[in-house]
């Protein structure tokens, strides 16, 4: 039938054989064993094959993560598919540009989205109350598979339920490089930047991250991230899911109720929970054993606040990586909180990862986790130039000095935003800070903005702190304007949305530009 297991699906197959009754996923209060998920994955693989599915067919997944998402991932890897993940919140123009580039053969879509796509007036009405519902267009020859409740009207589609076909039990051959994952990162509308991973490169990343989870004796993982569901299952843990859009207060309540021991998230998401703990004079749930932070930079000021609301036994791990290479280095959060160095300390480079610092201080990386290629390019890179600027320290660890493209050149001074953002966020009242440069035709130079999300501090007080004293920054790096406003975040890692901030500032300060 053209079905074989890869390094990722083999983990589930082994669990299904050896621990078939162990619960690996709890989704919407429903429990699923390794055997359940494995058998559903095989059923879906056989169902798709019966509909004419071919190896390397491109499949778009456009529905909320949960058990169906996990089943689809495993089934598509078994069929040697190219799985395409797109963030529907990137905006319709950007989203549709990526659809035009990849031209998916199949699309698994939430049945509610299908309904709204067929009735634009209904969608327009619902948008009044819920503005983040994506708009999209799929190629006419794309086979649509609806996920969720069956819809008897709307675009022509097949229900996921109807694709679950009976199959004959069989031994599956092991094969490496089986199945691919395509994830889009930042890029222009004309040439979107799709990162293509093989199942082999993903498998190595999952193995490394699984070992991190095993460093504590926690057994219950809380997450809304699909890749962390796979990591948790591969580790043999119980994964419990929750909706991404829950409030910080509700998440903390749920963590306590469900006895969550392990959690992975970006600092911007965890910050909301830290604030909630501070305001209610409480700590993180007592069940917590290990908190993993997956983004860079992770500011020391944030870690110091976080540690105050965590029990002393809770392990904090900061992971540095990127879409092209998921796992590069790791830092113990408690060590990082007291360690002083220039830039953001990224911890120790994994033993299987090679790092070189180029002449311009850009970090390049090579290992068996490295992505295959960018979708729109033909060649595979030997080294990946990360776009991050860094430095290797004498003890073999790594520091982040900033982003190459984010560097602001004003007059003859090179301003590295990440470095100065790290200093500003050490001010206790500051939650987050972003330095941005916008070119002014009037001045024929960059105008530097410092956007600050802060509490209980005035503009005059902030100016005084960054001009002098322990939080003082270089005179040449002082901003032309300081703007107090909420900082929007974007993408899977919840990084500051510099593009939308820049557009907002350009509109507000148009007369200065």
């Amino acid at each position: 039938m053209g079905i074989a297991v890869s390094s990722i699906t083999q983990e589930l197959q082994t669990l299904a054989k050896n621990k078939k009754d162990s619960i690996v996923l709890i989704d919407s209060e429903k429990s699923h064993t390794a055997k359940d998920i494995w058998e559903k994955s095989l059923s879906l693989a056989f169902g798709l094959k019966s509909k004419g599915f071919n190896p390397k067919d491109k499949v778009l997944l456009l529905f909320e993560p949960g058990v169906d998402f996990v089943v689809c991932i495993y089934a598509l890897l078994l069929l040697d598919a190219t799985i395409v993940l797109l963030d529907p919140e990137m905006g319709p123009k950007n989203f549709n540009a990526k659809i035009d580039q990849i031209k998916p053969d199949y699309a698994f879509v939430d049945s509610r989205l299908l309904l709204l796509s067929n009735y634009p007036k209904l969608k327009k009405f619902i948008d009044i109350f819920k503005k983040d519902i994506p708009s999209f267009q799929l190629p006419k020859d794309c086979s649509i598979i609806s996920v969720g409740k069956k819809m008897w009207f709307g675009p022509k589609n097949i229900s996921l339920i109807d694709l679950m076909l009976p199959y004959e039990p069989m031994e599956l051959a092991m094969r490496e490089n089986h199945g691919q994952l395509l994830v889009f990162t930042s890029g222009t509308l004309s040439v979107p930047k799709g990162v293509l991973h093989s199942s082999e490169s993903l498998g190595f990343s999952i193995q490394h991250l699984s070992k991190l989870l095993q460093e504590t004796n926690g057994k219950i993982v809380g997450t809304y991230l699909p890749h962390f569901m796979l990591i948790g299952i591969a580790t043999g843990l119980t994964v419990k899911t929750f909706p991404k859009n829950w409030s910080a207060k509700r998440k903390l309540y749920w963590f306590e109720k469900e006895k969550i021991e392990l959690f992975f998230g970006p600092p911007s998401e965890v910050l909301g929970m830290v604030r909630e703990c501070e305001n209610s004079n409480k700590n993180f749930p007592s069940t917590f054993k290990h908190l993993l932070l997956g983004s860079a930079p992770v500011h020391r000021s944030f870690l110091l606040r976080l540690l105050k609301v965590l029990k002393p036994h809770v392990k904090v791990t900061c992971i540095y990586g990127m879409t092209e290479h998921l796992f590069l280095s790791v830092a113990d959060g408690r060590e990082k909180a007291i360690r002083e160095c220039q830039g953001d300390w990224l911890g120790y480079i994994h033993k299987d990862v090679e790092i070189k610092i180029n002449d311009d201080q850009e970090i390049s990386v090579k290992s068996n986790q490295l992505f295959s290629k960018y979708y729109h390019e033909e060649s595979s890179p030997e080294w990946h130039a990360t776009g991050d600027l860094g430095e290797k320290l004498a003890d073999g660890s790594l520091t982040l000095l900033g982003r190459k493209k984010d560097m602001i050149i004003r007059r003859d001074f090179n301003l590295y935003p990440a470095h100065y953002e790290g200093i500003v966020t050490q001010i206790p009242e500051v939650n987050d800070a972003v330095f941005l440069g916008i070119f002014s035709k009037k001045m024929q130079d960059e105008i530097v903005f410092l956007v600050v999300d802060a509490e209980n501090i005035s503009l005059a007080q902030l100016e005084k702190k960054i001009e002098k004293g322990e939080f003082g920054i270089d005179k040449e790096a002082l901003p032309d304007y300081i703007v107090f406003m909420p900082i929007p975040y974007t993408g899977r890692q919840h990084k500051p949305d510099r593009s939308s901030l820049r557009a907002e500032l350009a509109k507000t300060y148009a007369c200065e530009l």
Side-chain angles (χ1 to χ4, degrees), residues 50-95:
S50 71
K51 296 292 182 182
F53 194 96
N54 295 308
K56 295 296 185 288
D57 272 353
K58 298 183 288 293
V59 185
L60 172 66
L61 300 186
L62 194 57
F63 60 99
E64 292 180 357
V67 64
D68 288 338
F69 200 100
V70 170
V71 166
C72 285
I73 292 284
Y74 284 122
L76 293 169
L77 287 173
L78 289 169
L79 289 171
D80 200 10
T82 296
I83 304 165
V84 183
L85 299 183
L86 283 180
D87 183 354
E89 296 180 11
M90 66 179 62
K93 285 187 179 179
N94 207 351
F95 186 88

Short mmCIF file of all heavy atoms in Angstrom, two decimals, residues 50-95:
data_model
loop_
_atom_site.label_atom_id
_atom_site.label_comp_id
_atom_site.label_asym_id
_atom_site.label_seq_id
_atom_site.Cartn_x
_atom_site.Cartn_y
_atom_site.Cartn_z
N SER A 50 -6.89 4.98 -0.59
CA SER A 50 -8.00 4.50 -1.43
C SER A 50 -8.57 5.60 -2.31
O SER A 50 -9.21 5.33 -3.32
CB SER A 50 -9.11 3.92 -0.55
OG SER A 50 -9.78 4.95 0.16
N LYS A 51 -8.34 6.87 -1.94
CA LYS A 51 -8.82 8.01 -2.72
C LYS A 51 -7.80 8.48 -3.75
O LYS A 51 -7.98 9.52 -4.39
CB LYS A 51 -9.18 9.17 -1.79
CG LYS A 51 -10.32 8.88 -0.83
CD LYS A 51 -11.64 8.72 -1.57
CE LYS A 51 -12.79 8.50 -0.60
NZ LYS A 51 -14.08 8.30 -1.32
N GLY A 52 -6.70 7.73 -3.86
CA GLY A 52 -5.71 8.07 -4.88
C GLY A 52 -4.56 8.92 -4.39
O GLY A 52 -3.86 9.56 -5.19
N PHE A 53 -4.33 8.96 -3.07
CA PHE A 53 -3.23 9.75 -2.53
C PHE A 53 -1.90 9.24 -3.04
O PHE A 53 -1.65 8.03 -3.08
CB PHE A 53 -3.27 9.69 -1.00
CG PHE A 53 -2.41 10.72 -0.32
CD1 PHE A 53 -2.96 11.90 0.11
CD2 PHE A 53 -1.05 10.51 -0.15
CE1 PHE A 53 -2.16 12.87 0.74
CE2 PHE A 53 -0.26 11.45 0.46
CZ PHE A 53 -0.81 12.64 0.91
N ASN A 54 -1.01 10.17 -3.41
CA ASN A 54 0.31 9.81 -3.94
C ASN A 54 1.41 10.33 -3.02
O ASN A 54 1.26 11.37 -2.38
CB ASN A 54 0.52 10.42 -5.33
CG ASN A 54 -0.45 9.84 -6.34
OD1 ASN A 54 -0.55 8.63 -6.48
ND2 ASN A 54 -1.18 10.72 -7.03
N PRO A 55 2.56 9.63 -2.96
CA PRO A 55 3.69 10.14 -2.17
C PRO A 55 4.07 11.55 -2.62
O PRO A 55 4.01 11.87 -3.80
CB PRO A 55 4.81 9.14 -2.48
CG PRO A 55 4.10 7.88 -2.86
CD PRO A 55 2.85 8.33 -3.57
N LYS A 56 4.46 12.37 -1.65
CA LYS A 56 4.87 13.76 -1.85
C LYS A 56 3.70 14.69 -2.19
O LYS A 56 3.92 15.87 -2.49
CB LYS A 56 5.96 13.88 -2.93
CG LYS A 56 7.27 13.21 -2.55
CD LYS A 56 7.90 13.87 -1.33
CE LYS A 56 9.27 13.29 -1.01
NZ LYS A 56 9.23 11.92 -0.46
N ASP A 57 2.46 14.19 -2.19
CA ASP A 57 1.32 15.11 -2.31
C ASP A 57 1.41 16.13 -1.18
O ASP A 57 1.77 15.80 -0.05
CB ASP A 57 -0.01 14.34 -2.22
CG ASP A 57 -0.49 13.84 -3.57
OD1 ASP A 57 0.13 14.20 -4.58
OD2 ASP A 57 -1.48 13.09 -3.61
N LYS A 58 1.07 17.37 -1.51
CA LYS A 58 1.15 18.46 -0.52
C LYS A 58 -0.20 18.60 0.19
O LYS A 58 -1.24 18.73 -0.47
CB LYS A 58 1.55 19.76 -1.21
CG LYS A 58 2.93 19.68 -1.87
CD LYS A 58 3.34 20.99 -2.49
CE LYS A 58 2.56 21.30 -3.76
NZ LYS A 58 2.85 20.39 -4.85
N VAL A 59 -0.15 18.59 1.51
CA VAL A 59 -1.37 18.58 2.31
C VAL A 59 -1.34 19.74 3.31
O VAL A 59 -0.45 19.82 4.15
CB VAL A 59 -1.54 17.25 3.08
CG1 VAL A 59 -2.88 17.23 3.80
CG2 VAL A 59 -1.40 16.07 2.13
N LEU A 60 -2.34 20.62 3.21
CA LEU A 60 -2.46 21.75 4.11
C LEU A 60 -3.33 21.36 5.30
O LEU A 60 -4.41 20.81 5.13
CB LEU A 60 -3.08 22.93 3.37
CG LEU A 60 -3.47 24.17 4.19
CD1 LEU A 60 -2.22 24.85 4.75
CD2 LEU A 60 -4.28 25.14 3.34
N LEU A 61 -2.86 21.67 6.51
CA LEU A 61 -3.65 21.43 7.72
C LEU A 61 -4.12 22.78 8.25
O LEU A 61 -3.30 23.64 8.59
CB LEU A 61 -2.81 20.72 8.79
CG LEU A 61 -2.25 19.34 8.42
CD1 LEU A 61 -1.58 18.70 9.62
CD2 LEU A 61 -3.32 18.42 7.87
N LEU A 62 -5.43 22.96 8.29
CA LEU A 62 -6.00 24.25 8.69
C LEU A 62 -7.14 24.01 9.68
O LEU A 62 -8.31 24.22 9.38
CB LEU A 62 -6.50 25.00 7.45
CG LEU A 62 -6.81 26.49 7.62
CD1 LEU A 62 -5.61 27.25 8.13
CD2 LEU A 62 -7.29 27.09 6.31
N PHE A 63 -6.77 23.51 10.85
CA PHE A 63 -7.75 23.31 11.91
C PHE A 63 -7.01 23.26 13.24
O PHE A 63 -5.78 23.14 13.28
CB PHE A 63 -8.59 22.05 11.70
CG PHE A 63 -7.81 20.75 11.65
CD1 PHE A 63 -7.73 19.94 12.77
CD2 PHE A 63 -7.18 20.34 10.48
CE1 PHE A 63 -7.02 18.75 12.73
CE2 PHE A 63 -6.47 19.15 10.43
CZ PHE A 63 -6.39 18.34 11.56
N GLU A 64 -7.74 23.39 14.33
CA GLU A 64 -7.14 23.52 15.64
C GLU A 64 -6.44 22.23 16.07
O GLU A 64 -6.95 21.13 15.84
CB GLU A 64 -8.19 23.90 16.68
CG GLU A 64 -8.75 25.31 16.48
CD GLU A 64 -9.79 25.67 17.53
OE1 GLU A 64 -10.11 24.79 18.36
OE2 GLU A 64 -10.27 26.82 17.52
N PRO A 65 -5.26 22.35 16.72
CA PRO A 65 -4.54 21.17 17.20
C PRO A 65 -5.36 20.38 18.21
O PRO A 65 -6.08 20.96 19.03
CB PRO A 65 -3.28 21.76 17.84
CG PRO A 65 -3.09 23.08 17.18
CD PRO A 65 -4.49 23.59 16.93
N GLY A 66 -5.24 19.09 18.15
CA GLY A 66 -5.94 18.17 19.04
C GLY A 66 -5.67 16.76 18.55
O GLY A 66 -4.74 16.52 17.77
N VAL A 67 -6.51 15.82 18.96
CA VAL A 67 -6.26 14.43 18.58
C VAL A 67 -6.34 14.24 17.06
O VAL A 67 -5.54 13.50 16.48
CB VAL A 67 -7.22 13.47 19.31
CG1 VAL A 67 -8.67 13.71 18.91
CG2 VAL A 67 -6.82 12.03 19.07
N ASP A 68 -7.30 14.91 16.39
CA ASP A 68 -7.39 14.77 14.93
C ASP A 68 -6.14 15.30 14.24
O ASP A 68 -5.68 14.73 13.24
CB ASP A 68 -8.63 15.52 14.41
CG ASP A 68 -9.93 14.83 14.76
OD1 ASP A 68 -9.91 13.61 15.02
OD2 ASP A 68 -10.98 15.50 14.79
N PHE A 69 -5.58 16.37 14.77
CA PHE A 69 -4.36 16.95 14.21
C PHE A 69 -3.21 15.94 14.32
O PHE A 69 -2.47 15.71 13.36
CB PHE A 69 -4.01 18.23 14.97
CG PHE A 69 -3.09 19.16 14.22
CD1 PHE A 69 -3.59 20.26 13.54
CD2 PHE A 69 -1.73 18.95 14.22
CE1 PHE A 69 -2.75 21.12 12.86
CE2 PHE A 69 -0.87 19.80 13.54
CZ PHE A 69 -1.39 20.89 12.86
N VAL A 70 -3.07 15.34 15.48
CA VAL A 70 -2.00 14.36 15.70
C VAL A 70 -2.18 13.16 14.79
O VAL A 70 -1.23 12.67 14.16
CB VAL A 70 -1.98 13.93 17.19
CG1 VAL A 70 -1.05 12.74 17.41
CG2 VAL A 70 -1.56 15.10 18.07
N VAL A 71 -3.41 12.66 14.69
CA VAL A 71 -3.70 11.51 13.81
C VAL A 71 -3.34 11.84 12.36
O VAL A 71 -2.74 11.03 11.66
CB VAL A 71 -5.18 11.10 13.94
CG1 VAL A 71 -5.59 10.15 12.81
CG2 VAL A 71 -5.43 10.43 15.29
N CYS A 72 -3.70 13.05 11.92
CA CYS A 72 -3.39 13.46 10.55
C CYS A 72 -1.88 13.50 10.30
O CYS A 72 -1.39 13.04 9.26
CB CYS A 72 -4.00 14.83 10.24
SG CYS A 72 -5.77 14.79 9.99
N ILE A 73 -1.14 14.06 11.25
CA ILE A 73 0.33 14.14 11.11
C ILE A 73 0.92 12.75 10.92
O ILE A 73 1.70 12.50 9.99
CB ILE A 73 0.96 14.82 12.34
CG1 ILE A 73 0.58 16.30 12.41
CG2 ILE A 73 2.48 14.65 12.33
CD1 ILE A 73 1.31 17.20 11.45
N TYR A 74 0.55 11.82 11.81
CA TYR A 74 1.10 10.46 11.71
C TYR A 74 0.68 9.77 10.41
O TYR A 74 1.50 9.12 9.75
CB TYR A 74 0.66 9.62 12.92
CG TYR A 74 1.40 9.93 14.20
CD1 TYR A 74 0.73 10.33 15.34
CD2 TYR A 74 2.79 9.82 14.27
CE1 TYR A 74 1.41 10.62 16.52
CE2 TYR A 74 3.48 10.10 15.44
CZ TYR A 74 2.79 10.51 16.56
OH TYR A 74 3.46 10.79 17.72
N ALA A 75 -0.59 9.90 10.05
CA ALA A 75 -1.08 9.25 8.82
C ALA A 75 -0.35 9.79 7.59
O ALA A 75 0.04 9.03 6.70
CB ALA A 75 -2.58 9.47 8.68
N LEU A 76 -0.15 11.10 7.54
CA LEU A 76 0.49 11.70 6.38
C LEU A 76 1.97 11.36 6.31
O LEU A 76 2.53 11.20 5.21
CB LEU A 76 0.28 13.22 6.41
CG LEU A 76 -1.17 13.65 6.22
CD1 LEU A 76 -1.35 15.13 6.53
CD2 LEU A 76 -1.66 13.34 4.81
N LEU A 77 2.63 11.23 7.46
CA LEU A 77 4.02 10.77 7.45
C LEU A 77 4.12 9.33 6.95
O LEU A 77 5.05 8.97 6.22
CB LEU A 77 4.62 10.88 8.86
CG LEU A 77 4.94 12.30 9.35
CD1 LEU A 77 5.36 12.26 10.81
CD2 LEU A 77 6.01 12.95 8.50
N LEU A 78 3.15 8.51 7.33
CA LEU A 78 3.12 7.13 6.83
C LEU A 78 2.99 7.07 5.31
O LEU A 78 3.49 6.15 4.66
CB LEU A 78 1.96 6.36 7.48
CG LEU A 78 2.11 6.01 8.97
CD1 LEU A 78 0.80 5.52 9.54
CD2 LEU A 78 3.21 4.98 9.17
N LEU A 79 2.31 8.07 4.75
CA LEU A 79 2.06 8.10 3.30
C LEU A 79 3.13 8.88 2.53
O LEU A 79 3.00 9.08 1.33
CB LEU A 79 0.69 8.72 3.03
CG LEU A 79 -0.51 7.87 3.42
CD1 LEU A 79 -1.80 8.68 3.29
CD2 LEU A 79 -0.60 6.62 2.57
N ASP A 80 4.19 9.32 3.23
CA ASP A 80 5.26 10.07 2.57
C ASP A 80 4.75 11.38 1.99
O ASP A 80 5.15 11.81 0.90
CB ASP A 80 5.90 9.21 1.46
CG ASP A 80 7.29 9.71 1.07
OD1 ASP A 80 7.81 10.58 1.78
OD2 ASP A 80 7.82 9.25 0.06
N ALA A 81 3.86 12.06 2.72
CA ALA A 81 3.28 13.32 2.25
C ALA A 81 4.20 14.49 2.60
O ALA A 81 5.12 14.38 3.41
CB ALA A 81 1.92 13.53 2.91
N THR A 82 3.92 15.63 1.98
CA THR A 82 4.52 16.89 2.39
C THR A 82 3.44 17.65 3.16
O THR A 82 2.44 18.07 2.58
CB THR A 82 4.99 17.72 1.18
OG1 THR A 82 6.03 17.00 0.50
CG2 THR A 82 5.52 19.08 1.63
N ILE A 83 3.63 17.77 4.47
CA ILE A 83 2.64 18.39 5.35
C ILE A 83 2.93 19.88 5.42
O ILE A 83 4.05 20.29 5.70
CB ILE A 83 2.71 17.76 6.75
CG1 ILE A 83 2.53 16.24 6.67
CG2 ILE A 83 1.66 18.38 7.66
CD1 ILE A 83 2.93 15.51 7.94
N VAL A 84 1.91 20.69 5.18
CA VAL A 84 2.07 22.14 5.13
C VAL A 84 1.34 22.77 6.32
O VAL A 84 0.13 22.59 6.47
CB VAL A 84 1.52 22.73 3.81
CG1 VAL A 84 1.78 24.23 3.75
CG2 VAL A 84 2.15 22.03 2.61
N LEU A 85 2.09 23.50 7.15
CA LEU A 85 1.50 24.22 8.27
C LEU A 85 1.56 25.71 7.99
O LEU A 85 2.62 26.26 7.71
CB LEU A 85 2.24 23.90 9.57
CG LEU A 85 2.27 22.44 10.03
CD1 LEU A 85 2.98 22.33 11.37
CD2 LEU A 85 0.87 21.86 10.12
N LEU A 86 0.40 26.36 8.05
CA LEU A 86 0.32 27.81 7.85
C LEU A 86 -0.39 28.44 9.04
O LEU A 86 -1.34 27.87 9.57
CB LEU A 86 -0.46 28.14 6.57
CG LEU A 86 0.25 27.96 5.23
CD1 LEU A 86 -0.69 28.33 4.10
CD2 LEU A 86 1.50 28.81 5.16
N ASP A 87 0.09 29.60 9.42
CA ASP A 87 -0.56 30.35 10.50
C ASP A 87 -1.66 31.20 9.88
O ASP A 87 -1.37 32.16 9.17
CB ASP A 87 0.47 31.23 11.21
CG ASP A 87 -0.13 31.99 12.39
OD1 ASP A 87 -1.36 31.90 12.59
OD2 ASP A 87 0.63 32.65 13.11
N PRO A 88 -2.93 30.89 10.13
CA PRO A 88 -4.02 31.64 9.49
C PRO A 88 -4.13 33.09 9.95
O PRO A 88 -4.85 33.88 9.35
CB PRO A 88 -5.27 30.85 9.89
CG PRO A 88 -4.90 30.14 11.13
CD PRO A 88 -3.44 29.83 11.02
N GLU A 89 -3.39 33.46 11.01
CA GLU A 89 -3.47 34.81 11.53
C GLU A 89 -2.51 35.77 10.82
O GLU A 89 -2.38 36.92 11.21
CB GLU A 89 -3.19 34.81 13.04
CG GLU A 89 -4.25 34.05 13.84
CD GLU A 89 -3.95 34.06 15.32
OE1 GLU A 89 -3.07 34.81 15.75
OE2 GLU A 89 -4.61 33.31 16.06
N MET A 90 -1.81 35.29 9.78
CA MET A 90 -0.82 36.13 9.12
C MET A 90 -1.47 37.16 8.18
O MET A 90 -0.78 38.01 7.64
CB MET A 90 0.16 35.27 8.33
CG MET A 90 -0.46 34.53 7.16
SD MET A 90 0.75 33.53 6.24
CE MET A 90 1.31 32.37 7.47
N GLY A 91 -2.77 37.09 7.99
CA GLY A 91 -3.44 38.03 7.09
C GLY A 91 -3.75 37.38 5.75
O GLY A 91 -2.96 36.57 5.25
N PRO A 92 -4.90 37.72 5.14
CA PRO A 92 -5.34 37.04 3.92
C PRO A 92 -4.39 37.16 2.74
O PRO A 92 -4.19 36.20 2.01
CB PRO A 92 -6.71 37.67 3.62
CG PRO A 92 -6.75 38.94 4.41
CD PRO A 92 -5.88 38.71 5.61
N LYS A 93 -3.79 38.35 2.52
CA LYS A 93 -2.90 38.51 1.37
C LYS A 93 -1.67 37.62 1.50
O LYS A 93 -1.29 36.90 0.57
CB LYS A 93 -2.47 39.97 1.24
CG LYS A 93 -3.55 40.89 0.69
CD LYS A 93 -3.00 42.28 0.43
CE LYS A 93 -4.09 43.19 -0.15
NZ LYS A 93 -3.58 44.57 -0.38
N ASN A 94 -1.05 37.65 2.67
CA ASN A 94 0.13 36.83 2.91
C ASN A 94 -0.22 35.34 2.87
O ASN A 94 0.50 34.53 2.27
CB ASN A 94 0.71 37.20 4.28
CG ASN A 94 2.21 36.94 4.37
OD1 ASN A 94 2.78 36.33 3.48
ND2 ASN A 94 2.81 37.39 5.44
N PHE A 95 -1.35 35.00 3.48
CA PHE A 95 -1.78 33.61 3.52
C PHE A 95 -2.04 33.08 2.11
O PHE A 95 -1.56 32.01 1.73
CB PHE A 95 -3.05 33.51 4.38
CG PHE A 95 -3.52 32.11 4.62
CD1 PHE A 95 -3.05 31.38 5.70
CD2 PHE A 95 -4.46 31.52 3.77
CE1 PHE A 95 -3.50 30.09 5.94
CE2 PHE A 95 -4.90 30.23 4.00
CZ PHE A 95 -4.43 29.51 5.09
#
